[in-house]
Amino acid sequence: MSRIAAEHDIHASYAAGKVKRKRNRFLSRWETPGLGYLFISPWLVGFLLLTLYPMLLSLYYSFTDYTLMKPIKWVGLRNYERIFTADDKFLQSVKVTFLYVLGSVPLKLIFALFIAVVLNKAVKGISAYRVAIYFPSLIGGSIAVSMLWRNIFGVDGFINSVLDKFGIEGSGWISNPKTALWSLILLSVWQFGSAMVIFLAGLKQIPKDLYEASSVDGANRFVQFFRITLPMLSPTLYFNLIMGIIGAFQMFTSAYVITNGGPMNSTLVYAVYLYERAFNRYQLGYASSLAWIMLVMIAIVAAAIALTSKYWVFYETDTGRGKRK
Amino acid sequence: MSAKAKSGFRHLFMILLSLVMVYPVFWWIGASLKSNEELSSPNLFPSVPQWRNFTDGWKAIPGHTFTEFYLNTLGLELAVLVTTLVSCTLVAFGFARLDFPLKKFWFSVLMLTLMLPGQVLIIPQYAMFHQFGWVNTYWPFIVPHLLASGAGGTFFVFLLVQFIRGVPRELDESAKIDGCSWFGIYLRIVMPLTKPAIVTVVIFCFLWNWDDFLGHLLYINSVSKYTVGLALKMINDTQSGMQWGQVLAMSLVSIVPATVVFAIAQKQLVEGVATTGIKG
């Protein structure tokens, strides 16, 4: 049989659906199985090699005394034991991190929500205000702003020179352990613009007729805010809360550049402590244990919020608005 | 209160708030022109502007200039932008348009990694890249971006998938009938229509890599390969007598690129934040 004839034969049986159905009953459910994997392969390889494998590797390291210099030795739970029983700096960094999260996230969200509600009412000039308020979020994460902050809150900095005019002698905000963390929290709150932009988008989604109907019923602004705006915005709030907490737990640049964890470890946030263990002392095994403890902490906090969410997050359903889910 | 008074009051409040928000930046501009003695005065601008802060600051690290650090950073940015665009758009097209086994599973894995705190990956990735001999090179930034796993990679895939899903499928169908391959559909049909989302990806990829201080700190050791952020940290740490004017001048210059991007694409940037919830 010639090649062409053979090909014709195959085509004929394909057309009759014989070969394909027999050979490919599983795969034929998909139009392009191999091609799909080809397209997503960069991410898939990246996920397996740069996310999944490193995570398992890090879990393994956390049970070893790994440093880059000597061969790895398995030490079982000893790192964890030492962290929980004999590491004062760990306790300090957990305390500082929780203080930072509890101080910065709620303040930032309250500001963002309040200003978004005010801004949503103003029709004229909204984009100019939005630019001014969003700009700090744009640059706030950079090392440049951390340096600005170090200067503004320094002993001879801008804040003290203003206070001086009013006859108040300010302390070195950054060199004083009592106020250092607050200057970092303030830096984070200054960047409430991105959360505000997200709230603004959420506010635009709330149907106007809800407000009209409620004012016919005699509800004032205050009641409307708590009975309409807040419930309707709760999914956005939930999102901002979770992402804000995950981000705040990992804060690094400002604490490293402005205060380097000091003074007296008062700004030793978890990521800075982890960095110190891993890359100043090269205790990579110990630092991996720290990293996993942080992951578990974040997961617990996020899960706790997710569990409570059914009591305060409202989802619009097809059958009615603002029904509890 | 009348409606007009209310609105006036609201605007007054917003104007005051906007001033408070941007005041540190104005102070920054003034301070970058001040001498050390004048820095502690609350005046916004100095009596005699010290332009030398900029010229001296530019050469503050002996044997190097900021020209070099900007070229390093821009080169790195370019490499990272190109690799991110190629990898993330291919992956997003795959998830949005093609059909394959376990697609839902992999997409939920992708969504899950969106929330994963990056700190868990820092140490093992460092150990891996150290083994490959990639420390003090730019590979630890380029390779992850090539695999859609760099800073924000999964976010970009997610954002692009959402966008591509909104591109009408009829266009694919008619292209297919005309004999276009899937790759052709990706390149000629879907990509041109995904431009707005691609612009958003470019903006955020640029900004996040510009500010990826921890990454640069970990992997780049020699001054000749320093990025702008590392150079800033260096003049901050090493200068004797702390020339604050120079430090503030150089850090002020370093936010110019982000500001320019913001000025050009303000609308897209803010909309990107609003619709996807990514942090700016």
Side-chain angles (χ1 to χ4, degrees):
Chain A
M1 213 190 319
S2 75
R3 207 172 65 92
I4 292 167
E7 265 180 15
H8 177 82
D9 239 36
I10 292 169
H11 279 297
S13 38
Y14 260 103
K18 276 181 207 156
V19 175
K20 195 175 183 180
R21 224 182 291 150
K22 222 180 203 172
R23 212 186 50 182
N24 247 349
R25 187 169 293 167
F26 177 70
L27 285 180
S28 66
R29 275 175 50 210
W30 291 276
E31 201 182 338
T32 48
L35 200 64
Y37 273 94
L38 195 66
F39 269 91
I40 69 157
S41 61
W43 172 79
L44 197 56
V45 173
F47 168 71
L48 295 174
L49 291 185
L50 296 174
T51 305
L52 188 64
Y53 173 68
M55 276 189 79
L56 298 174
L57 199 62
S58 147
L59 190 61
Y60 163 69
Y61 286 160
S62 77
F63 297 108
T64 69
D65 67 346
Y66 182 47
T67 67
L68 286 173
M69 288 73 148
K70 56 179 203 230
I72 300 183
K73 204 176 90 207
W74 180 268
V75 296
L77 287 169
R78 214 171 66 201
N79 288 337
Y80 290 97
E81 219 179 288
R82 254 173 61 204
I83 289 171
F84 285 120
T85 57
D87 189 343
D88 292 341
K89 269 191 142 180
F90 163 74
L91 288 178
Q92 174 68 12
S93 68
V94 171
K95 201 184 99 192
V96 170
T97 307
F98 271 90
L99 274 176
Y100 178 77
V101 172
L102 287 175
S104 66
V105 177
L107 274 179
K108 201 178 188 171
L109 291 188
I110 290 168
F111 257 110
L113 181 59
F114 176 67
I115 305 299
V117 169
V118 174
L119 201 52
N120 195 38
K121 295 263 166 63
V123 185
K124 276 180 214 156
I126 182 164
S127 59
Y129 298 137
R130 207 171 55 175
V131 167
I133 292 167
Y134 182 75
F135 191 68
S137 298
L138 178 81
I139 57 171
S142 66
I143 176 173
V145 168
S146 290
M147 284 174 178
L148 172 70
W149 225 249
R150 221 182 111 179
N151 189 275
I152 287 183
F153 283 87
V155 185
D156 297 324
F158 169 69
I159 300 279
N160 279 347
S161 62
V162 172
L163 288 178
D164 199 48
K165 263 197 164 173
F166 294 103
I168 306 166
E169 201 178 326
S171 67
W173 301 95
I174 284 163
S175 46
N176 182 346
K178 284 201 184 101
T179 52
L181 189 62
W182 283 99
S183 54
L184 299 189
I185 290 176
L186 201 64
L187 173 56
S188 152
V189 175
W190 185 51
Q191 300 166 51
F192 71 81
S194 58
M196 186 203 70
V197 167
I198 299 169
F199 278 133
L200 262 180
L203 284 170
K204 293 238 157 65
Q205 303 280 320
I206 304 178
K208 292 273 182 293
D209 55 335
L210 287 179
Y211 293 102
E212 280 154 23
S214 71
S215 50
V216 170
D217 290 346
N220 61 25
R221 280 278 161 77
F222 201 69
V223 172
Q224 283 181 339
F225 177 78
F226 284 100
R227 291 289 169 82
I228 301 172
T229 311
L230 215 49
M232 292 299 282
L233 211 56
S234 56
T236 317
L237 186 62
Y238 177 51
F239 177 85
N240 269 340
L241 186 66
I242 295 264
M243 295 319 268
I245 284 176
I246 292 178
F249 262 108
Q250 301 185 72
M251 190 272 262
F252 176 80
T253 305
S254 58
Y256 182 77
V257 174
I258 300 176
T259 53
N260 197 10
M264 287 163 65
N265 298 329
S266 62
T267 60
L268 187 76
V269 291
Y270 207 89
V272 170
Y273 181 49
L274 195 140
Y275 178 85
E276 187 187 304
R277 281 278 175 178
F279 299 104
N280 288 348
R281 304 206 221 165
Y282 284 104
Q283 297 171 331
L284 295 180
Y286 194 86
S288 297
S289 312
L290 286 174
W292 272 89
I293 291 169
M294 168 144 100
L295 183 69
V296 171
M297 271 189 323
I298 295 178
I300 289 173
V301 172
I305 294 169
L307 281 177
T308 63
S309 72
K310 66 176 173 200
Y311 299 107
W312 61 274
V313 178
F314 292 74
Y315 288 103
E316 242 183 312
T317 58
D318 292 335
T319 48
R321 283 181 180 137
K323 251 191 177 176
R324 268 171 210 261
K325 214 182 184 179
Chain B
M1 242 196 301
S2 72
K4 221 173 184 179
K6 256 184 186 170
S7 142
F9 185 72
R10 200 176 287 128
H11 278 285
L12 189 69
F13 172 77
M14 287 313 301
I15 289 167
L16 282 177
L17 181 82
S18 305
L19 280 178
V20 170
M21 292 298 285
V22 294
Y23 195 81
V25 179
F26 286 127
W27 187 82
W28 194 356
I29 296 170
S32 71
L33 291 167
K34 285 178 180 174
S35 63
N36 254 14
E37 294 74 50
E38 234 175 328
L39 255 181
S40 47
S41 91
N43 297 344
L44 208 51
F45 288 97
S47 44
V48 186
Q50 304 283 319
W51 295 103
R52 285 187 49 194
N53 284 342
F54 286 87
T55 48
D56 288 355
W58 199 261
K59 296 172 291 194
I61 295 172
H64 300 274
T65 65
F66 265 83
T67 314
E68 207 178 323
F69 305 131
Y70 276 93
L71 287 178
N72 284 345
T73 315
L74 289 174
L76 178 60
E77 286 275 3
L78 191 68
V80 156
L81 281 176
V82 171
T83 47
T84 292
L85 275 187
V86 172
S87 63
C88 290
T89 53
L90 281 169
V91 173
F93 181 83
F95 275 121
R97 278 297 200 263
L98 297 167
D99 225 10
F100 49 91
L102 296 178
K103 178 165 120 168
K104 281 207 173 119
F105 169 76
W106 288 122
F107 196 65
S108 37
V109 168
L110 185 123
M111 297 289 290
L112 207 64
T113 56
L114 276 179
M115 309 263 270
L116 185 74
Q119 311 259 348
V120 194
L121 302 176
I122 290 173
I123 293 164
Q125 281 189 356
Y126 183 85
M128 282 168 66
F129 295 151
H130 184 266
Q131 257 179 4
F132 299 158
W134 285 358
V135 172
N136 207 19
T137 69
Y138 293 139
W139 294 116
F141 307 101
I142 298 168
V143 171
H145 282 92
L146 192 63
L147 299 174
S149 309
T154 32
F155 251 130
F156 299 149
V157 172
F158 175 63
L159 186 146
L160 289 164
V161 167
Q162 297 298 88
F163 196 91
I164 294 173
R165 278 181 182 158
V167 175
R169 265 177 189 268
E170 290 79 42
L171 296 173
D172 305 17
E173 300 297 329
S174 48
K176 229 187 290 175
I177 292 165
D178 290 345
C180 196
S181 68
W182 276 109
F183 186 75
I185 294 173
Y186 154 79
L187 197 67
R188 300 221 182 96
I189 313 278
V190 173
M191 277 309 103
L193 293 170
T194 315
K195 229 188 232 156
I198 289 176
V199 172
T200 310
V201 168
V202 168
I203 293 168
F204 281 106
C205 187
F206 180 85
L207 293 176
W208 287 344
N209 278 288
W210 193 271
D211 284 344
D212 181 20
F213 177 66
L214 178 57
H216 298 172
L217 185 68
L218 283 178
Y219 291 112
I220 303 171
N221 305 330
S222 57
V223 182
S224 61
K225 286 181 182 155
Y226 264 19
T227 56
V228 174
L230 291 176
L232 285 177
K233 174 86 174 114
M234 191 174 178
I235 53 172
N236 187 32
D237 289 350
T238 58
Q239 272 212 348
S240 53
M242 199 64 184
Q243 293 294 321
W244 267 115
Q246 289 181 22
V247 172
L248 290 173
M250 284 304 103
S251 35
L252 185 67
V253 175
S254 82
I255 64 157
V256 168
T259 312
V260 169
V261 168
F262 184 54
I264 296 171
Q266 194 246 117
K267 201 167 151 253
Q268 244 135 352
L269 204 143
V270 173
E271 264 166 23
V273 174
T275 51
T276 60
I278 48 184
K279 199 190 156 296

